[in-house]
Amino acid sequence: MKKRTTKNNKNDNCWSTIGVWGNAQEKCDRLGEVIHCRNCDVFLMAGRGVFESRPPVGYLTQWQKEISIKKEERKKGDIGVMVFRLGKEWLALPVEYLQEIVEEKKVHKIPHNEGVYILGIVNIGGEVNTCYSLMNLLEIDENTDKNDSQLRRLIVMVVNGDRFVLPVCEISGLARYSSSDLLPAPATLGEKMGTYLVGMFQVENHQVAALNVEQIYRGFEGIAV
Amino acid sequence: MQYVKFNLDEFRYVLSITDVIEIIPYVKLTSLPNLPDYLAGLFNYRGSSVPVIDLCSLFLKRPCNKKLSTRIIVVEVIGKNSVKKMVGLMVEKATEIIKVEEDSFMDAGVYGDDLPYIGPVIADSAGLISRIHPSEIFLQIDNEILFPAA
């Protein structure tokens, strides 16, 4: 194996001195070969070192509980969705439109825009994106007893090449359903929301409304134009 | 084929992932009096009682350390009278899965019942790694404890 011959030959955290995260004049010789530190075994082995420590308090007890529970076979479905909460409603959007989920960040209001559907613009990874209110589009009431700001996230969706940023109250995770399991939306739902739904399905103990992305896209498009 | 790599001191072993049911951290085990040293105890694995064999005790005569990298590999072994049984193998430094071509395994060149188990080996930049099959571990231990006599 080729030895690193640079002056700054320190085995500990070389990635932040002579590696890609460092600003030393002289870069590590191995970079030519591995391109990025994350491909280098020095960096890899340093990461593995984390496992050579004692487990954090509560870690083993939590695992003990987890592995004593019988595994239940999960129902398989053909449509993968991301389940999230808006107000009291649990909703789902197909994963193929999902690009990213980021922590809630400041949405900058657009001057002279009093619209209820466009909340403003937001910086996602250095790109300016328009932030839309799915809550207002679906006419969902935000008031619930569980409104934890820690759980709030921004979903970045790409539909027909356009990026949408949608703030949500909470992300539950990924789920699957098959189209035959879908139940019709209850009549008690608002008329507005009904037009954006594909149907309802059950995840664990809550009813989730599967949303029709194309309809939502058209909904927002109609407003934006 | 993919293999889970672990260490017995300096010597490294790989175990085919097709033999593995699950890899979990070393959880607290229920010990029983008069168990041989290599039987670290029993634990509740998803509703069934599974004995755990400490490979460090078995081969190195010292228990596995208590680090995050020490893990229990749950495997199914076939014992006497072709009885299938789940056991946990407690090993150190189980932090990596590697890809190995089947035909790159070669004969180790040393044999003997007194040696810690050694099977076909592969070479990498740090030395040799031996393949181990869960059932082969049981050649070294008293089967009467884990498999009821017929």
Side-chain angles (χ1 to χ4, degrees):
Chain A
M1 204 174 288
K2 217 162 114 190
K3 279 256 164 5
R4 282 167 307 139
T5 47
T6 9
K7 274 182 249 160
N8 208 350
N9 195 354
K10 270 204 302 188
N11 228 1
D12 44 328
N13 68 13
C14 55
W15 51 91
S16 58
T17 53
I18 54 169
V20 290
W21 292 286
N23 45 16
Q25 284 292 312
E26 214 166 338
K27 291 285 178 191
C28 176
D29 288 348
R30 290 179 71 167
L31 276 175
E33 189 187 324
V34 299
I35 313 233
H36 194 285
C37 287
R38 64 170 169 253
N39 305 322
C40 176
D41 56 333
V42 176
F43 184 64
L44 188 87
M45 291 326 289
R48 289 283 146 74
V50 173
F51 293 114
E52 296 308 310
S53 55
R54 300 255 162 175
V57 181
Y59 177 78
L60 295 178
T61 347
Q62 189 200 337
W63 261 96
Q64 192 150 15
K65 259 188 220 149
E66 219 154 279
I67 56 150
S68 60
I69 302 163
K70 258 194 178 160
K71 251 190 187 169
E72 271 172 46
E73 217 165 292
R74 263 198 240 152
K75 258 217 226 148
K76 291 187 181 96
D78 48 3
I79 301 157
V81 286
M82 200 255 315
V83 179
F84 60 95
R85 184 173 59 83
L86 282 181
K88 280 181 192 146
E89 306 291 343
W90 285 96
L91 306 162
L93 282 166
V95 283
E96 58 261 38
Y97 297 98
L98 180 71
Q99 191 176 49
E100 203 177 347
I101 295 168
V102 294
E103 302 231 325
E104 190 183 38
K105 42 175 94 181
K106 187 160 168 44
V107 176
H108 300 271
K109 283 200 172 144
I110 305 168
H112 310 294
N113 169 49
E114 301 297 321
V116 281
Y117 301 118
I118 296 177
L119 298 172
I121 50 171
V122 64
N123 174 358
I124 306 283
E127 228 177 279
V128 175
N129 289 278
T130 318
C131 189
Y132 294 86
S133 172
L134 196 56
M135 201 175 274
N136 292 340
L137 184 75
L138 302 177
E139 291 178 350
I140 292 172
D141 190 6
E142 183 165 6
N143 296 325
T144 60
D145 36 342
K146 59 177 223 183
N147 244 345
D148 191 345
S149 62
Q150 293 272 321
L151 298 172
R152 299 180 75 88
R153 296 285 183 278
L154 297 178
I155 303 178
V156 185
M157 307 268 301
V158 177
V159 188
N160 302 336
D162 293 329
R163 294 231 288 183
F164 290 82
V165 179
L166 309 170
V168 298
C169 301
E170 185 181 343
I171 301 267
S172 156
L174 299 175
R176 295 187 84 84
Y177 71 88
S178 65
S179 32
S180 56
D181 290 348
L182 277 185
L183 301 168
T188 48
L189 270 184
E191 195 192 326
K192 197 82 185 274
M193 188 151 161
T195 56
Y196 295 108
L197 286 197
V198 186
M200 307 288 291
F201 65 96
Q202 182 92 19
V203 172
E204 281 155 24
N205 46 13
H206 39 248
Q207 286 284 323
V208 178
L211 296 172
N212 183 333
V213 178
E214 289 295 328
Q215 284 289 354
I216 289 169
Y217 177 75
R218 259 170 255 144
F220 283 133
E221 206 186 29
I223 299 149
V225 172
Chain B
M1 181 81 95
Q2 288 184 306
Y3 289 85
V4 189
K5 200 172 83 183
F6 60 89
N7 278 42
L8 288 176
D9 276 349
E10 291 307 300
F11 201 75
R12 295 166 302 157
Y13 285 90
V14 286
L15 190 104
S16 168
I17 57 159
T18 54
D19 295 322
V20 175
I21 298 172
E22 194 170 352
I23 303 176
I24 52 172
Y26 72 92
V27 292
K28 195 173 182 303
L29 304 172
T30 308
S31 191
L32 289 172
N34 298 328
L35 279 185
D37 286 345
Y38 62 78
L39 262 178
L42 301 165
F43 79 113
N44 175 356
Y45 175 70
R46 308 208 179 277
S48 38
S49 168
V50 169
V52 175
I53 296 165
D54 184 332
L55 290 195
C56 286
S57 287
L58 184 63
F59 292 136
L60 305 172
K61 312 292 173 216
R62 62 152 180 93
C64 282
N65 62 32
K66 297 273 179 276
K67 289 176 179 171
L68 269 176
S69 59
T70 295
R71 296 200 164 117
I72 296 171
I73 305 176
V74 182
V75 293
E76 191 172 61
V77 290
I78 300 164
K80 263 205 284 198
N81 317 318
S82 341
V83 183
K84 278 188 182 172
K85 188 187 180 76
M86 261 200 294
V87 292
L89 304 174
M90 196 193 273
V91 295
E92 288 179 355
K93 291 202 173 152
T95 52
E96 219 175 323
I97 303 248
I98 57 168
K99 271 189 189 152
V100 185
E101 293 296 329
E102 274 321 282
D103 52 12
S104 49
F105 281 102
M106 54 197 172
D107 186 58
V110 283
Y111 319 91
D113 292 343
D114 296 337
L115 294 170
Y117 180 80
I118 185 155
V121 292
I122 45 159
D124 73 352
S125 57
L128 294 168
I129 309 173
S130 169
R131 184 171 69 187
I132 194 164
H133 190 272
S135 298
E136 286 161 337
I137 293 161
F138 291 87
L139 300 174
Q140 307 253 343
I141 60 179
D142 185 3
N143 265 279
E144 299 286 314
I145 296 173
L146 293 171
F147 299 98

Coordinates of all heavy atoms in Angstrom, one line a residue, chain A residues 1 44 48 50-56 59-60 63-64 66-71, chain B residues 22 24-28 43-47 66-69 71 93 95-96 125:
Chain A
M1 N 0.8 -1.2 0.0 CA 0.0 0.0 0.0 C 0.9 1.3 0.0 O 1.9 1.3 0.7 CB -0.9 0.0 1.2 CG -2.1 0.8 1.0 SD -3.2 0.6 2.4 CE -3.8 -1.0 2.2
L44 N -12.1 5.4 6.6 CA -13.0 4.3 6.9 C -12.7 3.7 8.3 O -13.6 3.5 9.1 CB -12.9 3.2 5.9 CG -13.9 2.1 5.9 CD1 -15.2 2.5 5.2 CD2 -13.3 0.9 5.3
R48 N -14.7 3.4 11.9 CA -15.0 2.1 12.6 C -14.6 2.2 14.1 O -15.1 1.4 14.9 CB -14.2 1.0 12.0 CG -14.6 0.6 10.6 CD -15.9 -0.3 10.7 NE -16.8 -0.1 9.6 CZ -16.6 -0.5 8.4 NH1 -15.5 -1.2 8.1 NH2 -17.4 -0.2 7.4
V50 N -15.3 4.2 16.2 CA -16.4 4.6 17.1 C -17.0 3.3 17.8 O -17.4 3.4 18.9 CB -17.5 5.2 16.2 CG1 -18.8 5.5 17.0 CG2 -17.0 6.5 15.7
F51 N -16.9 2.2 17.1 CA -17.5 1.0 17.7 C -16.6 0.4 18.7 O -17.0 -0.6 19.4 CB -17.7 -0.1 16.6 CG -18.8 0.3 15.6 CD1 -18.5 0.6 14.3 CD2 -20.1 0.4 16.0 CE1 -19.4 1.0 13.4 CE2 -21.1 0.8 15.1 CZ -20.7 1.1 13.8
E52 N -15.4 0.9 18.9 CA -14.5 0.4 19.9 C -14.7 1.1 21.2 O -13.8 1.2 22.0 CB -13.0 0.5 19.4 CG -12.7 -0.4 18.2 CD -13.1 -1.8 18.4 OE1 -12.8 -2.4 19.4 OE2 -13.9 -2.3 17.5
S53 N -15.9 1.7 21.4 CA -16.1 2.4 22.7 C -17.2 1.6 23.4 O -17.9 0.8 22.8 CB -16.5 3.8 22.4 OG -17.6 3.8 21.5
R54 N -17.5 2.0 24.6 CA -18.6 1.4 25.4 C -19.9 1.9 24.9 O -20.0 3.1 24.5 CB -18.4 1.8 26.9 CG -17.1 1.3 27.5 CD -17.3 0.1 28.3 NE -16.1 -0.6 28.6 CZ -16.0 -1.6 29.4 NH1 -17.1 -2.1 30.0 NH2 -14.8 -2.2 29.6
P55 N -20.9 1.1 24.9 CA -22.2 1.6 24.4 C -22.8 2.7 25.3 O -22.5 2.7 26.5 CB -23.1 0.3 24.5 CG -22.4 -0.6 25.4 CD -21.0 -0.3 25.3
P56 N -23.5 3.6 24.7 CA -24.1 4.7 25.6 C -25.2 4.1 26.5 O -25.7 3.0 26.3 CB -24.8 5.6 24.5 CG -24.9 4.8 23.3 CD -23.8 3.8 23.3
Y59 N -28.6 2.0 25.8 CA -28.6 1.4 24.4 C -28.9 -0.1 24.5 O -29.7 -0.6 23.7 CB -27.2 1.7 23.9 CG -26.9 1.1 22.5 CD1 -27.4 1.7 21.3 CD2 -26.1 -0.1 22.4 CE1 -27.1 1.1 20.1 CE2 -25.8 -0.6 21.1 CZ -26.3 0.0 20.0 OH -26.1 -0.6 18.8
L60 N -28.2 -0.8 25.4 CA -28.4 -2.2 25.4 C -29.8 -2.6 26.0 O -30.4 -3.6 25.5 CB -27.3 -2.9 26.3 CG -25.9 -2.7 25.7 CD1 -24.9 -3.3 26.6 CD2 -25.8 -3.3 24.3
W63 N -32.2 -2.3 23.2 CA -32.1 -3.4 22.2 C -32.7 -4.6 22.8 O -33.3 -5.4 22.1 CB -30.6 -3.6 21.9 CG -30.3 -3.0 20.6 CD1 -29.7 -1.7 20.4 CD2 -30.5 -3.5 19.3 NE1 -29.6 -1.5 19.1 CE2 -30.1 -2.5 18.4 CE3 -31.0 -4.7 18.8 CZ2 -30.1 -2.7 17.0 CZ3 -31.1 -4.9 17.4 CH2 -30.7 -3.9 16.6
Q64 N -32.5 -4.8 24.1 CA -33.0 -6.0 24.7 C -34.5 -6.1 24.6 O -35.1 -7.1 24.3 CB -32.6 -6.0 26.2 CG -32.9 -7.3 26.9 CD -31.9 -7.5 28.0 OE1 -31.3 -6.5 28.4 NE2 -31.8 -8.7 28.5
E66 N -36.2 -4.5 22.3 CA -36.6 -4.7 20.9 C -36.5 -6.1 20.3 O -37.4 -6.5 19.6 CB -35.6 -3.8 20.1 CG -36.3 -3.1 18.9 CD -35.5 -1.8 18.6 OE1 -35.7 -0.8 19.3 OE2 -34.7 -1.9 17.6
I67 N -35.4 -6.8 20.7 CA -35.3 -8.1 20.2 C -36.1 -9.2 20.9 O -36.2 -10.3 20.5 CB -33.8 -8.6 20.1 CG1 -33.2 -8.5 21.5 CG2 -33.0 -7.9 19.1 CD1 -32.1 -9.6 21.7
S68 N -36.7 -8.8 22.0 CA -37.6 -9.8 22.7 C -39.0 -9.8 22.1 O -39.8 -10.7 22.4 CB -37.6 -9.5 24.2 OG -38.1 -8.2 24.4
I69 N -39.3 -8.8 21.3 CA -40.6 -8.8 20.6 C -40.6 -9.6 19.4 O -39.6 -9.5 18.6 CB -41.0 -7.3 20.3 CG1 -40.9 -6.4 21.6 CG2 -42.3 -7.2 19.6 CD1 -40.9 -5.0 21.3
K70 N -41.6 -10.4 19.2 CA -41.7 -11.2 18.0 C -41.8 -10.3 16.8 O -42.6 -9.3 16.8 CB -42.9 -12.1 18.1 CG -42.6 -13.5 18.5 CD -43.7 -14.4 18.2 CE -43.3 -15.8 18.6 NZ -44.3 -16.8 18.8
K71 N -41.2 -10.7 15.7 CA -41.3 -9.9 14.5 C -42.6 -10.3 13.8 O -42.9 -11.5 13.6 CB -40.1 -10.3 13.6 CG -39.1 -9.2 13.4 CD -38.1 -9.5 12.3 CE -37.0 -8.4 12.3 NZ -35.9 -8.8 11.5
Chain B
E22 N -29.7 -12.7 12.2 CA -29.6 -11.3 12.6 C -28.4 -11.1 13.3 O -27.8 -11.9 14.0 CB -30.9 -11.0 13.4 CG -31.1 -9.5 13.6 CD -32.5 -9.2 14.3 OE1 -33.3 -10.1 14.5 OE2 -32.7 -8.0 14.6
I24 N -27.0 -8.6 16.3 CA -27.5 -7.6 17.3 C -26.4 -7.3 18.3 O -25.4 -8.0 18.4 CB -28.7 -8.2 18.1 CG1 -28.3 -9.6 18.6 CG2 -29.9 -8.4 17.2 CD1 -29.4 -10.2 19.5
P25 N -26.5 -6.2 19.0 CA -25.5 -5.8 20.0 C -25.5 -6.9 21.1 O -26.4 -7.7 21.3 CB -25.9 -4.5 20.6 CG -26.9 -4.0 19.6 CD -27.6 -5.2 19.0
Y26 N -24.5 -6.9 22.0 CA -24.4 -7.9 23.0 C -25.4 -7.5 24.1 O -25.1 -6.5 24.8 CB -23.0 -8.1 23.6 CG -22.5 -6.9 24.4 CD1 -22.6 -6.9 25.8 CD2 -21.9 -5.8 23.8 CE1 -22.2 -5.8 26.5 CE2 -21.5 -4.8 24.5 CZ -21.6 -4.7 25.9 OH -21.2 -3.6 26.6
V27 N -26.5 -8.1 24.2 CA -27.5 -7.7 25.2 C -27.3 -8.5 26.4 O -26.5 -9.4 26.5 CB -29.0 -7.9 24.7 CG1 -29.3 -7.0 23.5 CG2 -29.1 -9.4 24.2
K28 N -28.0 -8.1 27.5 CA -27.8 -8.8 28.8 C -28.3 -10.2 28.7 O -29.4 -10.4 28.2 CB -28.5 -8.0 29.9 CG -28.0 -8.5 31.3 CD -28.7 -7.6 32.3 CE -28.2 -8.0 33.7 NZ -28.4 -9.4 34.1
F43 N -30.9 -15.8 26.1 CA -31.6 -14.5 26.0 C -32.9 -14.8 25.2 O -33.0 -15.8 24.5 CB -30.8 -13.4 25.4 CG -30.6 -13.4 23.9 CD1 -31.2 -12.4 23.1 CD2 -29.8 -14.4 23.3 CE1 -31.0 -12.4 21.8 CE2 -29.6 -14.4 21.9 CZ -30.2 -13.4 21.2
N44 N -33.8 -13.8 25.4 CA -35.1 -13.9 24.7 C -35.0 -13.3 23.3 O -34.9 -12.1 23.1 CB -36.2 -13.1 25.5 CG -37.5 -13.1 24.8 OD1 -37.7 -13.5 23.7 ND2 -38.5 -12.5 25.5
Y45 N -34.8 -14.2 22.3 CA -34.7 -13.6 20.9 C -36.1 -13.8 20.2 O -36.5 -14.9 19.9 CB -33.6 -14.4 20.2 CG -33.6 -14.0 18.7 CD1 -33.1 -12.7 18.4 CD2 -34.0 -14.8 17.7 CE1 -33.1 -12.3 17.0 CE2 -34.0 -14.4 16.4 CZ -33.5 -13.2 16.1 OH -33.5 -12.8 14.8
R46 N -36.8 -12.7 20.1 CA -38.1 -12.6 19.4 C -39.0 -13.7 19.9 O -39.6 -14.4 19.0 CB -37.9 -12.7 17.9 CG -36.9 -11.6 17.5 CD -37.1 -11.1 16.1 NE -36.1 -10.1 15.7 CZ -36.2 -8.8 16.0 NH1 -37.3 -8.4 16.7 NH2 -35.3 -7.9 15.6
G47 N -39.1 -14.0 21.2 CA -40.0 -14.9 21.7 C -39.5 -16.3 21.9 O -40.2 -17.2 22.4
K66 N -16.6 -5.7 26.3 CA -17.9 -5.0 26.4 C -17.9 -3.8 25.5 O -18.3 -2.7 26.0 CB -18.3 -4.7 27.8 CG -18.4 -6.0 28.7 CD -19.8 -6.6 28.6 CE -19.9 -7.8 29.4 NZ -19.4 -9.0 28.7
K67 N -17.5 -3.9 24.3 CA -17.5 -2.7 23.4 C -18.7 -2.8 22.4 O -19.3 -3.8 22.3 CB -16.2 -2.6 22.7 CG -15.1 -2.2 23.6 CD -13.8 -2.3 22.8 CE -12.6 -1.9 23.7 NZ -11.3 -2.1 23.0
L68 N -19.0 -1.7 21.8 CA -20.1 -1.6 20.8 C -19.8 -2.6 19.7 O -20.8 -3.1 19.1 CB -20.2 -0.2 20.2 CG -21.1 0.8 20.9 CD1 -21.0 2.1 20.3 CD2 -22.5 0.3 20.9
S69 N -18.6 -2.8 19.4 CA -18.3 -3.7 18.2 C -18.5 -5.2 18.5 O -18.4 -6.0 17.7 CB -16.8 -3.5 17.7 OG -15.9 -3.7 18.8
R71 N -20.7 -8.1 19.1 CA -22.1 -8.4 18.7 C -22.4 -9.8 18.8 O -21.5 -10.7 18.9 CB -22.3 -7.9 17.3 CG -22.1 -6.4 17.2 CD -22.7 -5.8 16.0 NE -22.8 -4.4 16.1 CZ -22.2 -3.5 15.3 NH1 -21.5 -3.9 14.4 NH2 -22.4 -2.2 15.5
K93 N -15.5 -7.2 17.3 CA -15.2 -6.5 16.1 C -16.0 -6.9 14.9 O -15.5 -7.1 13.8 CB -13.7 -6.5 15.7 CG -12.9 -5.8 16.7 CD -11.5 -5.4 16.2 CE -10.8 -4.5 17.2 NZ -9.4 -4.5 17.2
T95 N -17.9 -5.5 12.6 CA -18.3 -4.2 12.1 C -18.3 -4.1 10.6 O -18.5 -3.0 10.1 CB -17.4 -3.1 12.7 OG1 -16.0 -3.4 12.4 CG2 -17.5 -2.9 14.2
E96 N -18.0 -5.2 10.0 CA -17.8 -5.1 8.5 C -18.4 -6.3 7.8 O -18.4 -7.4 8.2 CB -16.3 -5.0 8.2 CG -16.0 -4.0 7.1 CD -14.5 -3.9 6.9 OE1 -13.8 -3.9 7.9 OE2 -14.1 -3.8 5.8
S125 N -4.9 -7.1 2.4 CA -3.6 -6.4 2.7 C -3.1 -6.6 4.1 O -2.0 -6.4 4.4 CB -3.9 -4.9 2.4 OG -4.9 -4.4 3.2

